[in-house]
Amino acid sequence: MSIRVGDMVTRKSYGNDIMFTVTSIQDGKIAILQGLEFRLVADAPMDDLVRVQPEDVQKELEKSLVKSQESLRLIQQERRLMREKNLYQQTGYTGRSEEDSVTFEIPGTVLHLDGDGRYLEKCIAMYRELGIKVYGFHLQEKDMPMYTTRLLERYQPNILILTGHDSYRRHLGDINSLDCYRNSKYFVQAVLEARRFERNRDRLIIFAGACQSNFESLLEAGANFASSPKRINIHTLDPVYIAERVAFTSVRDTVNVFEAAKNTITGIDGLGGIETFGTFRLGLPITENMKKTRQ
Protein backbone atom coordinates (compact mmCIF):
# COMPACT_ATOMS: atom_id res chain seq x y z
CA MET A 1 0.00 0.00 0.00
CA SER A 2 1.41 3.41 -1.00
CA ILE A 3 2.15 6.10 1.56
CA ARG A 4 -0.32 8.98 1.65
CA VAL A 5 -0.66 12.42 3.22
CA GLY A 6 -1.53 11.99 6.90
CA ASP A 7 0.33 8.70 7.33
CA MET A 8 2.79 8.25 10.20
CA VAL A 9 6.24 7.24 8.94
CA THR A 10 9.91 6.88 9.82
CA ARG A 11 13.00 7.22 7.60
CA LYS A 12 15.09 4.13 6.83
CA SER A 13 18.20 6.26 6.16
CA TYR A 14 18.08 7.61 9.73
CA GLY A 15 17.53 4.26 11.39
CA ASN A 16 13.79 4.89 11.85
CA ASP A 17 14.66 7.13 14.81
CA ILE A 18 11.87 9.75 14.66
CA MET A 19 8.18 9.44 13.82
CA PHE A 20 6.76 11.94 11.32
CA THR A 21 3.44 12.88 9.80
CA VAL A 22 3.41 13.15 6.01
CA THR A 23 2.06 16.66 5.34
CA SER A 24 2.44 16.75 1.53
CA ILE A 25 3.93 14.86 -1.38
CA GLN A 26 5.77 16.61 -4.22
CA ASP A 27 5.60 15.09 -7.72
CA GLY A 28 4.86 11.71 -6.19
CA LYS A 29 8.52 11.37 -5.21
CA ILE A 30 9.37 13.59 -2.22
CA ALA A 31 7.42 13.65 1.05
CA ILE A 32 7.38 16.69 3.35
CA LEU A 33 7.39 15.54 6.97
CA GLN A 34 6.62 17.05 10.36
CA GLY A 35 7.81 15.48 13.61
CA LEU A 36 5.22 13.79 15.80
CA GLU A 37 6.79 14.99 19.07
CA PHE A 38 9.77 17.02 17.85
CA ARG A 39 9.74 20.48 16.24
CA LEU A 40 11.34 19.22 13.04
CA VAL A 41 10.41 19.59 9.36
CA ALA A 42 12.16 17.34 6.87
CA ASP A 43 11.82 15.97 3.37
CA ALA A 44 12.59 12.46 2.20
CA PRO A 45 12.27 10.28 -0.92
CA MET A 46 9.14 8.17 -0.84
CA ASP A 47 11.18 4.97 -1.04
CA ASP A 48 13.02 5.95 2.17
CA LEU A 49 9.82 5.92 4.22
CA VAL A 50 8.32 3.17 6.35
CA ARG A 51 4.72 3.41 7.52
CA VAL A 52 4.32 3.17 11.32
CA GLN A 53 1.56 1.03 12.78
CA PRO A 54 -1.00 2.75 15.07
CA GLU A 55 0.05 0.68 18.09
CA ASP A 56 3.66 1.87 17.65
CA VAL A 57 2.51 5.49 17.43
CA GLN A 58 0.59 5.00 20.67
CA LYS A 59 3.68 3.55 22.38
CA GLU A 60 5.74 6.57 21.28
CA LEU A 61 3.11 8.99 22.60
CA GLU A 62 3.02 7.14 25.93
CA LYS A 63 6.83 7.37 26.22
CA SER A 64 6.65 11.09 25.51
CA LEU A 65 3.93 11.51 28.14
CA VAL A 66 6.14 9.86 30.76
CA LYS A 67 8.96 12.30 29.95
CA SER A 68 6.56 15.25 30.11
CA GLN A 69 5.21 14.14 33.47
CA GLU A 70 8.72 13.79 34.87
CA SER A 71 9.58 17.33 33.72
CA LEU A 72 6.36 18.59 35.27
CA ARG A 73 7.17 16.82 38.56
CA LEU A 74 10.59 18.49 38.71
CA ILE A 75 9.06 21.88 37.93
CA GLN A 76 6.44 21.56 40.66
CA GLN A 77 9.07 20.43 43.16
CA GLU A 78 11.32 23.39 42.40
CA ARG A 79 8.37 25.79 42.41
CA ARG A 80 7.55 24.78 45.99
CA LEU A 81 11.13 25.55 47.02
CA MET A 82 11.05 28.89 45.19
CA ARG A 83 7.73 29.80 46.82
CA GLU A 84 9.17 29.13 50.28
CA LYS A 85 12.27 31.17 49.45
CA ASN A 86 10.23 34.12 48.16
CA LEU A 87 7.92 34.03 51.17
CA TYR A 88 10.82 33.93 53.61
CA GLN A 89 12.54 36.88 51.90
CA GLN A 90 9.34 38.93 52.07
CA THR A 91 7.99 38.01 55.49
CA GLY A 92 10.74 36.24 57.40
CA TYR A 93 8.81 33.01 57.91
CA THR A 94 7.54 29.96 56.08
CA GLY A 95 5.45 26.93 56.89
CA ARG A 96 1.97 28.27 56.24
CA SER A 97 -0.44 26.09 54.32
CA GLU A 98 -1.94 27.23 51.00
CA GLU A 99 -5.16 28.10 52.82
CA ASP A 100 -3.35 30.21 55.43
CA SER A 101 -1.05 32.03 53.03
CA VAL A 102 -1.01 35.83 53.32
CA THR A 103 0.58 36.31 49.91
CA PHE A 104 -0.53 36.26 46.29
CA GLU A 105 1.53 35.49 43.19
CA ILE A 106 1.88 37.26 39.85
CA PRO A 107 3.92 35.17 37.40
CA GLY A 108 4.93 36.57 34.03
CA THR A 109 2.51 36.44 31.09
CA VAL A 110 3.40 34.75 27.79
CA LEU A 111 2.76 35.51 24.12
CA HIS A 112 3.35 32.24 22.25
CA LEU A 113 3.59 32.25 18.43
CA ASP A 114 3.77 28.75 16.97
CA GLY A 115 4.18 27.50 13.42
CA ASP A 116 2.23 24.32 14.23
CA GLY A 117 -1.40 24.55 15.36
CA ARG A 118 -1.41 21.05 16.84
CA TYR A 119 1.70 21.79 18.89
CA LEU A 120 0.22 25.12 19.98
CA GLU A 121 -2.82 23.37 21.46
CA LYS A 122 -0.56 21.05 23.49
CA CYS A 123 1.49 24.00 24.71
CA ILE A 124 -1.59 26.02 25.72
CA ALA A 125 -2.84 23.05 27.76
CA MET A 126 0.52 22.82 29.54
CA TYR A 127 0.65 26.57 30.27
CA ARG A 128 -2.76 26.28 31.91
CA GLU A 129 -1.64 23.30 33.97
CA LEU A 130 1.37 25.32 35.10
CA GLY A 131 -0.78 28.31 36.04
CA ILE A 132 0.65 30.70 33.43
CA LYS A 133 -1.46 33.28 31.58
CA VAL A 134 -0.83 32.87 27.86
CA TYR A 135 -1.93 34.36 24.55
CA GLY A 136 -1.33 31.84 21.78
CA PHE A 137 -1.41 32.25 17.99
CA HIS A 138 -0.79 29.85 15.12
CA LEU A 139 1.31 31.63 12.49
CA GLN A 140 3.46 30.27 9.70
CA GLU A 141 7.10 30.90 10.55
CA LYS A 142 7.54 33.18 7.51
CA ASP A 143 4.69 35.39 8.78
CA MET A 144 6.00 35.84 12.33
CA PRO A 145 8.16 38.93 11.57
CA MET A 146 5.09 40.65 10.09
CA TYR A 147 2.85 40.13 13.12
CA THR A 148 5.24 40.16 16.09
CA THR A 149 5.18 43.89 16.81
CA ARG A 150 1.42 44.36 16.57
CA LEU A 151 0.81 41.38 18.87
CA LEU A 152 3.36 42.68 21.38
CA GLU A 153 1.66 46.08 21.35
CA ARG A 154 -1.75 44.52 21.90
CA TYR A 155 -0.94 41.97 24.64
CA GLN A 156 2.12 43.49 26.38
CA PRO A 157 3.59 40.15 27.57
CA ASN A 158 6.62 39.65 29.78
CA ILE A 159 7.75 36.62 27.77
CA LEU A 160 7.67 36.03 24.00
CA ILE A 161 7.93 32.52 22.54
CA LEU A 162 8.72 32.20 18.81
CA THR A 163 8.73 28.56 17.75
CA GLY A 164 7.38 26.05 15.26
CA HIS A 165 9.40 23.87 12.91
CA ASP A 166 12.96 24.15 11.64
CA SER A 167 15.85 22.05 10.39
CA TYR A 168 19.50 22.44 9.42
CA ARG A 169 19.96 21.31 5.82
CA ARG A 170 23.53 20.15 5.91
CA HIS A 171 23.76 19.56 2.17
CA LEU A 172 23.29 23.30 1.51
CA GLY A 173 26.57 24.22 3.18
CA ASP A 174 27.89 26.28 6.11
CA ILE A 175 26.37 25.68 9.53
CA ASN A 176 26.65 29.43 10.23
CA SER A 177 24.63 30.49 7.18
CA LEU A 178 20.93 31.16 7.77
CA ASP A 179 20.31 30.08 4.18
CA CYS A 180 21.05 26.51 5.28
CA TYR A 181 18.13 26.45 7.74
CA ARG A 182 14.48 25.97 6.88
CA ASN A 183 13.04 28.63 9.20
CA SER A 184 15.81 30.11 11.37
CA LYS A 185 15.92 33.30 9.29
CA TYR A 186 12.25 33.97 10.05
CA PHE A 187 12.78 33.44 13.77
CA VAL A 188 15.77 35.82 13.62
CA GLN A 189 13.72 38.46 11.78
CA ALA A 190 10.91 38.14 14.34
CA VAL A 191 13.38 38.54 17.22
CA LEU A 192 14.79 41.68 15.58
CA GLU A 193 11.27 43.10 15.27
CA ALA A 194 10.61 42.31 18.93
CA ARG A 195 13.82 44.06 19.96
CA ARG A 196 12.80 47.17 18.02
CA PHE A 197 9.68 47.13 20.19
CA GLU A 198 11.56 46.52 23.47
CA ARG A 199 15.37 46.64 23.57
CA ASN A 200 15.74 45.72 27.25
CA ARG A 201 16.30 41.98 27.57
CA ASP A 202 14.91 41.95 31.12
CA ARG A 203 11.66 43.72 30.22
CA LEU A 204 10.83 41.39 27.35
CA ILE A 205 12.30 37.89 27.61
CA ILE A 206 12.43 36.05 24.29
CA PHE A 207 12.76 32.35 23.51
CA ALA A 208 13.18 31.60 19.81
CA GLY A 209 13.79 28.52 17.69
CA ALA A 210 12.81 24.95 17.01
CA CYS A 211 14.63 21.77 15.97
CA GLN A 212 18.22 22.32 14.83
CA SER A 213 17.82 26.12 14.73
CA ASN A 214 20.79 28.49 14.42
CA PHE A 215 21.37 29.14 18.12
CA GLU A 216 24.10 31.74 17.74
CA SER A 217 22.17 33.91 15.26
CA LEU A 218 19.06 33.90 17.46
CA LEU A 219 21.03 35.10 20.51
CA GLU A 220 22.83 37.72 18.43
CA ALA A 221 19.47 39.03 17.18
CA GLY A 222 18.35 39.56 20.77
CA ALA A 223 16.83 36.35 22.11
CA ASN A 224 17.45 35.51 25.77
CA PHE A 225 17.00 31.77 25.19
CA ALA A 226 17.17 29.77 21.98
CA SER A 227 17.61 26.41 20.32
CA SER A 228 19.67 24.52 19.31
CA PRO A 229 23.32 24.72 20.51
CA LYS A 230 24.20 21.25 19.20
CA ARG A 231 21.74 21.43 16.25
CA ILE A 232 19.66 18.62 17.70
CA ASN A 233 15.89 18.18 17.79
CA ILE A 234 13.84 19.75 20.58
CA HIS A 235 10.59 18.47 22.05
CA THR A 236 7.22 20.10 21.45
CA LEU A 237 6.93 21.33 25.05
CA ASP A 238 10.52 22.49 25.64
CA PRO A 239 9.73 26.20 24.98
CA VAL A 240 6.94 26.00 27.58
CA TYR A 241 9.33 24.72 30.24
CA ILE A 242 11.74 27.60 29.55
CA ALA A 243 8.84 30.07 29.79
CA GLU A 244 7.73 28.53 33.09
CA ARG A 245 11.17 28.97 34.60
CA VAL A 246 11.23 32.64 33.64
CA ALA A 247 7.61 33.24 34.71
CA PHE A 248 8.20 31.83 38.22
CA THR A 249 11.69 33.18 38.91
CA SER A 250 11.57 36.31 41.09
CA VAL A 251 12.25 39.72 39.53
CA ARG A 252 15.06 39.95 42.11
CA ASP A 253 16.83 36.85 40.79
CA THR A 254 18.38 35.72 37.53
CA VAL A 255 17.21 32.54 35.85
CA ASN A 256 19.69 29.71 36.24
CA VAL A 257 20.13 28.75 32.58
CA PHE A 258 21.48 25.30 33.40
CA GLU A 259 18.59 24.54 35.74
CA ALA A 260 16.07 25.84 33.19
CA ALA A 261 17.45 23.64 30.43
CA LYS A 262 17.78 20.65 32.77
CA ASN A 263 14.02 20.57 33.33
CA THR A 264 13.27 20.44 29.62
CA ILE A 265 12.92 17.12 27.84
CA THR A 266 15.82 17.83 25.47
CA GLY A 267 18.33 19.33 27.90
CA ILE A 268 21.34 21.60 27.53
CA ASP A 269 22.35 20.30 24.08
CA GLY A 270 19.04 21.49 22.66
CA LEU A 271 18.43 24.74 24.55
CA GLY A 272 20.53 27.49 26.06
CA GLY A 273 20.63 31.19 26.76
CA ILE A 274 22.01 34.11 28.70
CA GLU A 275 21.67 35.41 32.26
CA THR A 276 18.20 36.95 32.57
CA PHE A 277 16.08 38.28 35.42
CA GLY A 278 12.81 36.50 36.18
CA THR A 279 9.32 38.01 35.95
CA PHE A 280 7.63 36.64 39.09
CA ARG A 281 6.26 39.03 41.73
CA LEU A 282 5.01 38.15 45.20
CA GLY A 283 2.38 40.38 46.82
CA LEU A 284 0.63 40.66 50.15
CA PRO A 285 -1.79 40.64 51.78
CA ILE A 286 -4.17 38.43 49.85
CA THR A 287 -7.77 39.59 50.27
CA GLU A 288 -10.92 37.51 50.55
CA ASN A 289 -11.93 38.63 47.05
CA MET A 290 -8.62 37.36 45.68
CA LYS A 291 -9.15 34.01 47.37
CA LYS A 292 -12.62 33.71 45.80
CA THR A 293 -11.27 34.33 42.31
CA ARG A 294 -8.77 31.49 42.82
CA GLN A 295 -11.56 28.98 43.42
Side-chain angles (χ1 to χ4, degrees):
M1 186 182 296
S2 61
I3 290 173
R4 301 176 181 177
V5 171
D7 285 347
M8 298 300 307
V9 299
T10 58
R11 297 174 294 178
K12 289 183 284 187
S13 59
Y14 284 80
N16 304 304
D17 58 343
I18 296 175
M19 291 187 184
F20 294 91
T21 303
V22 178
T23 58
S24 64
I25 297 173
Q26 299 176 347
D27 301 324
K29 297 179 180 179
I30 301 295
I32 306 301
L33 312 171
Q34 288 188 358
L36 174 65
E37 290 294 308
F38 290 93
R39 291 183 171 276
L40 178 67
V41 171
D43 53 60
M46 294 292 287
D47 59 8
D48 189 38
L49 302 180
V50 177
R51 183 182 287 103
V52 179
Q53 297 303 313
E55 56 268 26
D56 293 326
V57 175
Q58 185 59 36
K59 288 179 183 177
E60 185 68 19
L61 291 173
E62 289 172 357
K63 283 168 53 180
S64 179
L65 179 61
V66 169
K67 292 179 181 178
S68 298
Q69 290 174 335
E70 176 60 16
S71 290
L72 184 59
R73 185 190 66 79
L74 290 172
I75 286 169
Q76 291 170 337
Q77 176 179 300
E78 291 186 1
R79 189 181 294 181
R80 284 192 294 271
L81 294 174
M82 290 171 67
R83 181 180 289 119
E84 291 178 3
K85 174 185 174 183
N86 287 330
L87 183 60
Y88 183 80
Q89 289 177 339
Q90 287 284 359
T91 66
Y93 60 86
T94 58
R96 286 177 176 266
S97 67
E98 288 279 336
E99 294 75 14
D100 294 332
S101 176
V102 297
T103 64
F104 58 92
E105 301 177 345
I106 305 178
T109 61
V110 175
L111 173 62
H112 183 120
L113 309 185
D114 206 311
D116 189 303
R118 179 173 60 90
Y119 286 0
L120 177 62
E121 290 179 4
K122 295 176 72 171
C123 289
I124 295 295
M126 183 57 71
Y127 282 120
R128 289 173 178 163
E129 186 166 356
L130 291 168
I132 298 172
K133 186 175 182 179
V134 60
Y135 305 99
F137 294 91
H138 175 211
L139 293 172
Q140 295 298 312
E141 290 85 354
K142 64 182 177 61
D143 294 329
M144 288 182 183
M146 186 188 315
Y147 289 98
T148 295
T149 299
R150 70 183 72 174
L151 290 170
L152 287 171
E153 289 174 342
R154 179 173 180 181
Y155 294 101
Q156 299 290 318
N158 308 105
I159 304 161
L160 173 64
I161 303 295
L162 300 163
T163 190
H165 294 286
D166 205 357
S167 61
Y168 167 50
R169 294 177 286 187
R170 189 171 283 100
H171 64 281
L172 293 181
D174 187 0
I175 193 172
N176 297 311
S177 171
L178 287 175
D179 292 332
C180 297
Y181 295 80
R182 193 176 296 271
N183 286 317
S184 286
K185 61 184 175 182
Y186 303 123
F187 294 135
V188 165
Q189 290 167 12
V191 172
L192 290 171
E193 291 299 319
R195 283 292 166 231
R196 291 188 183 99
F197 174 82
E198 176 53 74
R199 296 180 61 84
N200 190 313
R201 292 199 192 202
D202 289 315
R203 290 181 181 167
L204 177 65
I205 291 87
I206 302 174
F207 171 91
C211 283
Q212 303 176 14
S213 291
N214 190 317
F215 174 76
E216 296 83 4
S217 293
L218 291 167
L219 289 186
E220 185 178 354
N224 301 68
F225 303 92
S227 61
S228 163
K230 293 290 184 68
R231 303 306 192 267
I232 67 171
N233 301 325
I234 71 168
H235 190 270
T236 305
L237 297 175
D238 281 342
V240 177
Y241 297 142
I242 293 292
E244 187 279 339
R245 189 74 184 194
V246 175
F248 281 92
T249 295
S250 171
V251 293
R252 302 184 308 274
D253 300 327
T254 56
V255 176
N256 185 314
V257 179
F258 178 79
E259 291 294 328
K262 185 184 72 173
N263 285 349
T264 65
I265 293 173
T266 305
I268 200 74
D269 287 346
L271 303 108
I274 61 172
E275 188 175 40
T276 301
F277 278 102
T279 63
F280 176 86
R281 296 178 186 274
L282 190 70
L284 60 87
I286 186 169
T287 66
E288 290 302 319
N289 283 337
M290 289 177 178
K291 291 179 180 179
K292 288 176 184 178
T293 59
R294 282 182 172 180
Q295 297 173 355

